[in-house]
Amino acid sequence: MTAPMRAPKRWKPLLVLTLWAVLLPAPVYAIVASTDASASLRSEADDSAVLDQRAVDRELALFRGSAISLRQAMAIAEAQHAGSTTADVSFDGAAASPVYRVKTLHNDRVWQHAIDATTGKIVGGAAASPLDEFGADDRSNLATLKTIQHRLADAVRVAEHAASGKAISGGMVREGGRLNFAIVVMSGNDLKEVILEPPGAASRR
């Protein structure tokens, strides 16, 4: 559902929430936005829109029926390398068997994992890429990710609470020199994007 190292498409904000230390050790600010599920893939042509709608409906149905949550998939991927942290995660229902695509950062390398959404097993082997293969923006985001206290897993937990649903993807986005976490949550039949600002994320630019 997300492009590599980027957050999902932004939608018009509907609600701004302040979540205090009851959820995390330090306050974060969540902007919750909502969209019709079909909007993420709709093209201008009517026939393409119908196909896109079917693809979205199929993927969301597979996500609803998945036994493994996004947070569980992140934990499985992170357990492959002690001390690693998730940089990007998304549900992929287009694969032969639905999987979570998880990118983890460990020792200046980004590891790509596929976690079966039904069994929790790792599908195929993990692939690793050195940081110098990424663009400047991604390298900056990953460098900041290593220095901040909060993890993407923390952001997912807060976003699911704020939007009252299950996270389907999560990643990083930089705005105004500050790194934010962007989480997409399925709440009922809606997709909501939650933007979280972790403390200390503006230290690197």
PDB file of all heavy atoms in Angstrom, residues 21 23 29 31 38 58 60-61 66 72 95 102 109 129 132 145 148 157 164 186 189 191 195 204:
ATOM      1  N   ALA A  21       1.280  11.644  27.532  1.00  0.00           N
ATOM      2  CA  ALA A  21       2.145  10.574  28.006  1.00  0.00           C
ATOM      3  C   ALA A  21       1.398   9.328  28.434  1.00  0.00           C
ATOM      4  O   ALA A  21       2.000   8.295  28.689  1.00  0.00           O
ATOM      5  CB  ALA A  21       2.995  11.079  29.173  1.00  0.00           C
ATOM      6  N   LEU A  23      -0.161   7.589  26.520  1.00  0.00           N
ATOM      7  CA  LEU A  23       0.042   6.671  25.407  1.00  0.00           C
ATOM      8  C   LEU A  23       1.523   6.425  25.138  1.00  0.00           C
ATOM      9  O   LEU A  23       1.927   5.325  24.799  1.00  0.00           O
ATOM     10  CB  LEU A  23      -0.622   7.229  24.140  1.00  0.00           C
ATOM     11  CG  LEU A  23      -2.143   7.374  24.230  1.00  0.00           C
ATOM     12  CD1 LEU A  23      -2.681   7.980  22.952  1.00  0.00           C
ATOM     13  CD2 LEU A  23      -2.791   6.023  24.468  1.00  0.00           C
ATOM     14  N   TYR A  29       1.844  14.520  18.412  1.00  0.00           N
ATOM     15  CA  TYR A  29       0.688  15.206  17.866  1.00  0.00           C
ATOM     16  C   TYR A  29       0.173  14.431  16.671  1.00  0.00           C
ATOM     17  O   TYR A  29       0.911  14.147  15.738  1.00  0.00           O
ATOM     18  CB  TYR A  29       1.063  16.637  17.469  1.00  0.00           C
ATOM     19  CG  TYR A  29       1.594  17.405  18.648  1.00  0.00           C
ATOM     20  CD1 TYR A  29       2.961  17.459  18.886  1.00  0.00           C
ATOM     21  CD2 TYR A  29       0.728  18.011  19.547  1.00  0.00           C
ATOM     22  CE1 TYR A  29       3.453  18.144  19.994  1.00  0.00           C
ATOM     23  CE2 TYR A  29       1.222  18.692  20.653  1.00  0.00           C
ATOM     24  CZ  TYR A  29       2.578  18.756  20.867  1.00  0.00           C
ATOM     25  OH  TYR A  29       3.072  19.418  21.959  1.00  0.00           O
ATOM     26  N   ILE A  31      -2.431  14.014  13.547  1.00  0.00           N
ATOM     27  CA  ILE A  31      -3.398  14.583  12.613  1.00  0.00           C
ATOM     28  C   ILE A  31      -4.081  13.415  11.930  1.00  0.00           C
ATOM     29  O   ILE A  31      -3.444  12.634  11.221  1.00  0.00           O
ATOM     30  CB  ILE A  31      -2.713  15.469  11.560  1.00  0.00           C
ATOM     31  CG1 ILE A  31      -1.956  16.618  12.242  1.00  0.00           C
ATOM     32  CG2 ILE A  31      -3.730  16.008  10.563  1.00  0.00           C
ATOM     33  CD1 ILE A  31      -1.172  17.466  11.279  1.00  0.00           C
ATOM     34  N   SER A  38     -11.832   3.826  -1.984  1.00  0.00           N
ATOM     35  CA  SER A  38     -11.623   3.730  -3.426  1.00  0.00           C
ATOM     36  C   SER A  38     -10.759   4.857  -3.953  1.00  0.00           C
ATOM     37  O   SER A  38     -10.204   4.750  -5.043  1.00  0.00           O
ATOM     38  CB  SER A  38     -12.968   3.752  -4.159  1.00  0.00           C
ATOM     39  OG  SER A  38     -13.626   4.988  -3.951  1.00  0.00           O
ATOM     40  N   ARG A  58     -10.638  -5.838  -2.916  1.00  0.00           N
ATOM     41  CA  ARG A  58     -10.027  -7.160  -2.700  1.00  0.00           C
ATOM     42  C   ARG A  58      -8.905  -7.058  -1.667  1.00  0.00           C
ATOM     43  O   ARG A  58      -8.819  -7.876  -0.745  1.00  0.00           O
ATOM     44  CB  ARG A  58      -9.482  -7.707  -4.019  1.00  0.00           C
ATOM     45  CG  ARG A  58      -8.768  -9.049  -3.869  1.00  0.00           C
ATOM     46  CD  ARG A  58      -8.181  -9.518  -5.203  1.00  0.00           C
ATOM     47  NE  ARG A  58      -7.484 -10.789  -5.045  1.00  0.00           N
ATOM     48  CZ  ARG A  58      -6.221 -10.903  -4.640  1.00  0.00           C
ATOM     49  NH1 ARG A  58      -5.524  -9.806  -4.338  1.00  0.00           N
ATOM     50  NH2 ARG A  58      -5.649 -12.091  -4.520  1.00  0.00           N
ATOM     51  N   LEU A  60      -8.393  -4.776   0.667  1.00  0.00           N
ATOM     52  CA  LEU A  60      -8.891  -4.462   2.003  1.00  0.00           C
ATOM     53  C   LEU A  60      -9.595  -5.666   2.627  1.00  0.00           C
ATOM     54  O   LEU A  60      -9.500  -5.877   3.841  1.00  0.00           O
ATOM     55  CB  LEU A  60      -9.842  -3.263   1.942  1.00  0.00           C
ATOM     56  CG  LEU A  60      -9.199  -1.940   1.503  1.00  0.00           C
ATOM     57  CD1 LEU A  60     -10.233  -0.825   1.526  1.00  0.00           C
ATOM     58  CD2 LEU A  60      -8.007  -1.582   2.367  1.00  0.00           C
ATOM     59  N   ALA A  61     -10.284  -6.467   1.808  1.00  0.00           N
ATOM     60  CA  ALA A  61     -10.928  -7.677   2.329  1.00  0.00           C
ATOM     61  C   ALA A  61      -9.881  -8.665   2.822  1.00  0.00           C
ATOM     62  O   ALA A  61     -10.055  -9.298   3.874  1.00  0.00           O
ATOM     63  CB  ALA A  61     -11.800  -8.314   1.246  1.00  0.00           C
ATOM     64  N   SER A  66      -6.772 -11.071   7.621  1.00  0.00           N
ATOM     65  CA  SER A  66      -5.426 -11.524   7.965  1.00  0.00           C
ATOM     66  C   SER A  66      -5.322 -11.843   9.456  1.00  0.00           C
ATOM     67  O   SER A  66      -5.828 -11.113  10.303  1.00  0.00           O
ATOM     68  CB  SER A  66      -4.387 -10.468   7.577  1.00  0.00           C
ATOM     69  OG  SER A  66      -4.626  -9.253   8.271  1.00  0.00           O
ATOM     70  N   GLN A  72       2.496  -7.114  14.663  1.00  0.00           N
ATOM     71  CA  GLN A  72       3.115  -8.430  14.798  1.00  0.00           C
ATOM     72  C   GLN A  72       4.134  -8.668  13.686  1.00  0.00           C
ATOM     73  O   GLN A  72       5.220  -9.211  13.924  1.00  0.00           O
ATOM     74  CB  GLN A  72       2.048  -9.521  14.771  1.00  0.00           C
ATOM     75  CG  GLN A  72       1.184  -9.585  16.020  1.00  0.00           C
ATOM     76  CD  GLN A  72       0.043 -10.581  15.877  1.00  0.00           C
ATOM     77  OE1 GLN A  72      -0.638 -10.622  14.849  1.00  0.00           O
ATOM     78  NE2 GLN A  72      -0.178 -11.393  16.905  1.00  0.00           N
ATOM     79  N   ALA A  95       0.115  -9.978  -3.760  1.00  0.00           N
ATOM     80  CA  ALA A  95       0.984 -11.149  -3.874  1.00  0.00           C
ATOM     81  C   ALA A  95       0.142 -12.419  -3.933  1.00  0.00           C
ATOM     82  O   ALA A  95      -1.053 -12.410  -3.630  1.00  0.00           O
ATOM     83  CB  ALA A  95       1.943 -11.198  -2.673  1.00  0.00           C
ATOM     84  N   VAL A 102       8.114  -5.380   5.030  1.00  0.00           N
ATOM     85  CA  VAL A 102       8.706  -4.667   6.153  1.00  0.00           C
ATOM     86  C   VAL A 102      10.153  -4.328   5.840  1.00  0.00           C
ATOM     87  O   VAL A 102      10.941  -5.217   5.483  1.00  0.00           O
ATOM     88  CB  VAL A 102       8.653  -5.505   7.454  1.00  0.00           C
ATOM     89  CG1 VAL A 102       9.104  -4.658   8.645  1.00  0.00           C
ATOM     90  CG2 VAL A 102       7.262  -6.066   7.680  1.00  0.00           C
ATOM     91  N   ARG A 109      22.325  -0.706   7.203  1.00  0.00           N
ATOM     92  CA  ARG A 109      21.756  -1.419   6.069  1.00  0.00           C
ATOM     93  C   ARG A 109      20.247  -1.503   6.249  1.00  0.00           C
ATOM     94  O   ARG A 109      19.752  -1.604   7.380  1.00  0.00           O
ATOM     95  CB  ARG A 109      22.345  -2.833   5.940  1.00  0.00           C
ATOM     96  CG  ARG A 109      23.845  -2.854   5.699  1.00  0.00           C
ATOM     97  CD  ARG A 109      24.382  -4.264   5.608  1.00  0.00           C
ATOM     98  NE  ARG A 109      24.035  -4.898   4.335  1.00  0.00           N
ATOM     99  CZ  ARG A 109      24.731  -4.745   3.218  1.00  0.00           C
ATOM    100  NH1 ARG A 109      25.802  -3.981   3.203  1.00  0.00           N
ATOM    101  NH2 ARG A 109      24.371  -5.363   2.117  1.00  0.00           N
ATOM    102  N   SER A 129      20.201  -3.679   1.641  1.00  0.00           N
ATOM    103  CA  SER A 129      20.789  -2.641   0.810  1.00  0.00           C
ATOM    104  C   SER A 129      21.546  -1.662   1.692  1.00  0.00           C
ATOM    105  O   SER A 129      21.011  -1.225   2.724  1.00  0.00           O
ATOM    106  CB  SER A 129      19.698  -1.884   0.032  1.00  0.00           C
ATOM    107  OG  SER A 129      18.945  -2.757  -0.779  1.00  0.00           O
ATOM    108  N   ASP A 132      24.034   3.927   1.316  1.00  0.00           N
ATOM    109  CA  ASP A 132      24.489   4.797   0.233  1.00  0.00           C
ATOM    110  C   ASP A 132      23.781   4.524  -1.091  1.00  0.00           C
ATOM    111  O   ASP A 132      23.965   5.255  -2.059  1.00  0.00           O
ATOM    112  CB  ASP A 132      26.008   4.713   0.058  1.00  0.00           C
ATOM    113  CG  ASP A 132      26.504   3.300  -0.218  1.00  0.00           C
ATOM    114  OD1 ASP A 132      25.674   2.437  -0.577  1.00  0.00           O
ATOM    115  OD2 ASP A 132      27.718   3.061  -0.085  1.00  0.00           O
ATOM    116  N   LEU A 145      16.011   8.529  12.145  1.00  0.00           N
ATOM    117  CA  LEU A 145      15.324   7.408  12.787  1.00  0.00           C
ATOM    118  C   LEU A 145      16.206   6.746  13.840  1.00  0.00           C
ATOM    119  O   LEU A 145      15.716   6.287  14.876  1.00  0.00           O
ATOM    120  CB  LEU A 145      14.892   6.392  11.729  1.00  0.00           C
ATOM    121  CG  LEU A 145      14.098   5.184  12.211  1.00  0.00           C
ATOM    122  CD1 LEU A 145      12.741   5.620  12.762  1.00  0.00           C
ATOM    123  CD2 LEU A 145      13.910   4.176  11.081  1.00  0.00           C
ATOM    124  N   ILE A 148      16.213   9.088  17.344  1.00  0.00           N
ATOM    125  CA  ILE A 148      15.044   9.448  18.143  1.00  0.00           C
ATOM    126  C   ILE A 148      14.629   8.302  19.058  1.00  0.00           C
ATOM    127  O   ILE A 148      14.901   7.136  18.778  1.00  0.00           O
ATOM    128  CB  ILE A 148      13.851   9.872  17.252  1.00  0.00           C
ATOM    129  CG1 ILE A 148      13.453   8.754  16.294  1.00  0.00           C
ATOM    130  CG2 ILE A 148      14.189  11.134  16.478  1.00  0.00           C
ATOM    131  CD1 ILE A 148      12.257   9.098  15.425  1.00  0.00           C
ATOM    132  N   ARG A 157       0.985   2.016  17.367  1.00  0.00           N
ATOM    133  CA  ARG A 157       0.109   1.796  18.525  1.00  0.00           C
ATOM    134  C   ARG A 157      -0.725   3.039  18.825  1.00  0.00           C
ATOM    135  O   ARG A 157      -1.931   2.958  19.073  1.00  0.00           O
ATOM    136  CB  ARG A 157       0.953   1.416  19.748  1.00  0.00           C
ATOM    137  CG  ARG A 157       0.159   1.226  21.030  1.00  0.00           C
ATOM    138  CD  ARG A 157       1.000   0.539  22.101  1.00  0.00           C
ATOM    139  NE  ARG A 157       2.235   1.256  22.383  1.00  0.00           N
ATOM    140  CZ  ARG A 157       2.338   2.240  23.275  1.00  0.00           C
ATOM    141  NH1 ARG A 157       1.271   2.643  23.933  1.00  0.00           N
ATOM    142  NH2 ARG A 157       3.497   2.826  23.504  1.00  0.00           N
ATOM    143  N   SER A 164      -9.046   4.466  16.092  1.00  0.00           N
ATOM    144  CA  SER A 164      -9.938   3.357  16.435  1.00  0.00           C
ATOM    145  C   SER A 164      -9.990   2.315  15.321  1.00  0.00           C
ATOM    146  O   SER A 164     -11.051   2.011  14.770  1.00  0.00           O
ATOM    147  CB  SER A 164     -11.353   3.879  16.739  1.00  0.00           C
ATOM    148  OG  SER A 164     -11.323   4.780  17.826  1.00  0.00           O
ATOM    149  N   MET A 186      -7.125   1.381   9.022  1.00  0.00           N
ATOM    150  CA  MET A 186      -8.468   1.049   8.583  1.00  0.00           C
ATOM    151  C   MET A 186      -9.397   1.116   9.785  1.00  0.00           C
ATOM    152  O   MET A 186      -9.222   0.397  10.765  1.00  0.00           O
ATOM    153  CB  MET A 186      -8.529  -0.349   7.959  1.00  0.00           C
ATOM    154  CG  MET A 186      -9.958  -0.765   7.591  1.00  0.00           C
ATOM    155  SD  MET A 186     -10.026  -2.429   6.879  1.00  0.00           S
ATOM    156  CE  MET A 186      -9.421  -2.052   5.249  1.00  0.00           C
ATOM    157  N   ASN A 189     -15.074   1.164   7.447  1.00  0.00           N
ATOM    158  CA  ASN A 189     -14.869   1.121   6.001  1.00  0.00           C
ATOM    159  C   ASN A 189     -13.995   2.262   5.511  1.00  0.00           C
ATOM    160  O   ASN A 189     -13.836   2.448   4.297  1.00  0.00           O
ATOM    161  CB  ASN A 189     -16.226   1.179   5.279  1.00  0.00           C
ATOM    162  CG  ASN A 189     -17.061  -0.070   5.518  1.00  0.00           C
ATOM    163  OD1 ASN A 189     -16.521  -1.177   5.573  1.00  0.00           O
ATOM    164  ND2 ASN A 189     -18.363   0.102   5.670  1.00  0.00           N
ATOM    165  N   LEU A 191     -10.325   4.604   5.446  1.00  0.00           N
ATOM    166  CA  LEU A 191      -8.892   4.649   5.662  1.00  0.00           C
ATOM    167  C   LEU A 191      -8.562   6.014   6.238  1.00  0.00           C
ATOM    168  O   LEU A 191      -8.965   7.043   5.681  1.00  0.00           O
ATOM    169  CB  LEU A 191      -8.136   4.431   4.352  1.00  0.00           C
ATOM    170  CG  LEU A 191      -8.260   3.058   3.709  1.00  0.00           C
ATOM    171  CD1 LEU A 191      -7.496   3.020   2.393  1.00  0.00           C
ATOM    172  CD2 LEU A 191      -7.760   1.974   4.645  1.00  0.00           C
ATOM    173  N   ILE A 195      -0.718  11.382  11.319  1.00  0.00           N
ATOM    174  CA  ILE A 195       0.631  11.921  11.291  1.00  0.00           C
ATOM    175  C   ILE A 195       1.095  12.138  12.723  1.00  0.00           C
ATOM    176  O   ILE A 195       0.442  12.838  13.493  1.00  0.00           O
ATOM    177  CB  ILE A 195       0.694  13.247  10.522  1.00  0.00           C
ATOM    178  CG1 ILE A 195       0.145  13.080   9.103  1.00  0.00           C
ATOM    179  CG2 ILE A 195       2.136  13.784  10.478  1.00  0.00           C
ATOM    180  CD1 ILE A 195       0.923  12.099   8.246  1.00  0.00           C
ATOM    181  N   ARG A 204      17.951  16.540  13.150  1.00  0.00           N
ATOM    182  CA  ARG A 204      18.712  16.393  11.907  1.00  0.00           C
ATOM    183  C   ARG A 204      17.936  16.998  10.761  1.00  0.00           C
ATOM    184  O   ARG A 204      16.734  16.833  10.672  1.00  0.00           O
ATOM    185  CB  ARG A 204      18.985  14.911  11.589  1.00  0.00           C
ATOM    186  CG  ARG A 204      20.048  14.293  12.484  1.00  0.00           C
ATOM    187  CD  ARG A 204      20.261  12.854  12.066  1.00  0.00           C
ATOM    188  NE  ARG A 204      21.312  12.251  12.828  1.00  0.00           N
ATOM    189  CZ  ARG A 204      22.587  12.208  12.446  1.00  0.00           C
ATOM    190  NH1 ARG A 204      22.932  12.747  11.310  1.00  0.00           N
ATOM    191  NH2 ARG A 204      23.486  11.625  13.200  1.00  0.00           N
TER     192      ARG A 204
END
